[in-house]
Amino acid sequence: MLPLADTLHAYRVGFEFLWSELVDEARRHPDVTDAELVAGSSEIWALFGRYAEAVAAAYREASAELALRREARRSALAEALFTGALADRTTPWEAAGQLGLPERGPYAVVAASVPDPGQEPLPGIEAALRRSGVPSVWRLLPDQQIGLVALTHRDAESVSLRALRRRRARVGVSPTSTRCGRHRRRCGSPGWP
């Protein structure tokens, strides 16, 4: 989807061109007064405002729909990765890659107790870890929020633990492992990332 700013810029350029052409045409007709041009200007820019509002509203609606679709897909991939219930055509490492996780560990699993159903105990944790260079994926369940954290750099474990402590939630963290999944294959081997 084209960015909203670019779309509105194109509309503005189009309206400026239309106004320029109207002024040029008015100059060729001496019977068109300056007052009529000013009135025409008001109409043109009022139209631009209405069109820009309509485009912005449609853009927000389409963006929200795309965001919901992306989040639903991401949520389904995360659930499939956590439970091992992947579609026949999707491998665990493909699902992990689509979620932004590396093919190789080490990894840690995090579980946080949910204070009330649907309330995240670790709000913003994925974004906070991403800013620190720690890829992760999270899933909110009725009684817990679970995450798979890729400890890909030397400080990833300490960075992750600091971010988790800041959230002040009841959290459990597994020992780090280069082995993943139910099949106990090494990360990166066929059958698991």
Side-chain angles (χ1 to χ4, degrees):
M1 182 175 355
L2 195 64
L4 179 59
D6 293 345
T7 304
L8 291 176
H9 177 73
Y11 266 82
R12 196 190 80 226
V13 167
F15 272 88
E16 286 174 359
F17 176 75
L18 175 62
W19 178 243
S20 169
E21 291 295 308
L22 285 171
V23 169
D24 287 347
E25 187 63 29
R27 286 187 183 140
R28 287 193 273 280
H29 300 279
D31 53 319
V32 176
T33 67
D34 288 346
E36 290 172 322
L37 271 178
V38 169
S41 168
S42 295
E43 282 185 49
I44 290 285
W45 294 110
L47 280 174
F48 170 73
R50 283 198 295 270
Y51 286 139
E53 287 173 17
V55 165
Y59 187 90
R60 282 190 298 275
E61 189 176 308
S63 293
E65 179 64 29
L66 285 174
L68 285 173
R69 283 186 198 164
R70 275 193 301 270
E71 186 52 38
R73 174 152 173 74
R74 184 170 174 74
S75 180
L77 281 171
E79 180 68 13
L81 189 61
F82 286 130
T83 63
L86 291 163
D88 290 338
R89 294 182 312 265
T90 304
T91 64
W93 65 87
E94 288 170 332
Q98 291 175 31
L99 292 166
L101 295 173
E103 288 187 9
R104 301 192 187 284
Y107 297 97
V109 175
V110 177
S113 180
V114 171
D116 290 313
Q119 183 180 356
E120 282 186 77
L122 304 170
I125 191 68
E126 187 170 352
L129 292 174
R130 187 180 327 110
R131 284 190 298 273
S132 298
V134 180
S136 63
V137 62
W138 296 85
R139 181 81 169 111
L140 181 61
L141 302 171
D143 60 339
Q144 63 183 338
Q145 183 176 9
I146 56 174
L148 181 63
V149 179
L151 305 172
T152 55
H153 60 76
R154 189 168 34 108
D155 299 327
E157 187 173 359
S158 60
V159 165
S160 300
L161 291 173
R162 273 195 307 277
L164 291 168
R165 284 187 192 113
R166 276 189 227 115
R167 300 305 187 283
R168 300 185 187 272
R170 282 187 43 204
V171 176
V173 180
S174 73
T176 60
S177 175
T178 56
R179 294 179 179 262
C180 308
R182 296 186 305 187
H183 305 294
R184 300 289 183 226
R185 294 180 182 155
R186 292 200 55 77
C187 297
S189 68
W192 184 259

